[in-house]
Amino acid sequence: SLLQEKSAVTQVNSCDTLSTCAAEYSTLTMATSHNTTDLEQLDNEQQEQEEKARLITQVLELQNTLSDLSCRVDNVKEENLRLRSENQVLGQYIENLMTASQVFQGTQEQGRNK
């Protein structure tokens, strides 16, 4: 590409008529413009590839975060069920103690008489 440009410049420098020089100059300008466009396209493609890689990395991180949160929710649900069960057992135990205790028997009877 650079070699083509140098060759075109040499041809323009060695041209013998004005019309030949103008044609050579036009060819050189188009080649340079084409090379600039190619470089811009390569740069744009590289930027797109970098953006895609960044987005893929971000998606993978978000998937991992979602997976971690899902596991945490499952663990909290299990803990909640376990604590509810323990509360139920403790509530039943306290109720049984109150029923068996003489101290609470008098209180319960007073509450019924009111």
Side-chain angles (χ1 to χ4, degrees):
S1 165
L2 187 55
L3 191 56
Q4 289 173 342
E5 288 179 27
K6 285 183 180 181
S7 174
V9 169
T10 304
Q11 288 173 358
V12 169
N13 288 337
S14 66
C15 63
D16 43 348
T17 66
L18 186 55
S19 61
T20 307
C21 286
E24 292 296 332
Y25 179 76
S26 175
T27 303
L28 175 62
T29 305
M30 287 190 313
T32 303
S33 174
H34 183 67
N35 289 337
T36 303
T37 304
D38 287 347
L39 290 175
E40 289 173 355
Q41 286 176 346
L42 288 174
D43 189 43
N44 287 342
E45 288 175 8
Q46 183 179 7
Q47 287 177 353
E48 286 177 10
Q49 291 298 324
E50 290 172 359
E51 180 68 12
K52 285 179 185 178
R54 187 185 67 76
L55 289 173
I56 288 170
T57 301
Q58 188 177 14
V59 166
L60 292 174
E61 288 174 359
L62 290 171
Q63 284 178 340
N64 289 335
T65 300
L66 179 60
S67 176
D68 291 345
L69 288 172
S70 180
C71 288
R72 185 169 177 213
V73 166
D74 290 342
N75 289 337
V76 168
K77 283 180 179 179
E78 290 174 10
E79 180 72 8
N80 187 5
L81 287 173
R82 188 184 63 77
L83 291 173
R84 282 180 185 262
S85 177
E86 285 181 13
N87 271 351
Q88 199 171 18
V89 169
L90 288 173
Q92 186 64 42
Y93 177 74
I94 290 170
E95 191 176 311
N96 289 343
L97 284 176
M98 289 173 60
T99 302
S101 174
Q102 294 298 324
V103 174
F104 292 108
Q105 289 295 328
T107 306
Q108 289 175 353
E109 289 174 10
Q110 288 176 1
R112 288 183 198 153
N113 292 336
K114 288 185 180 181

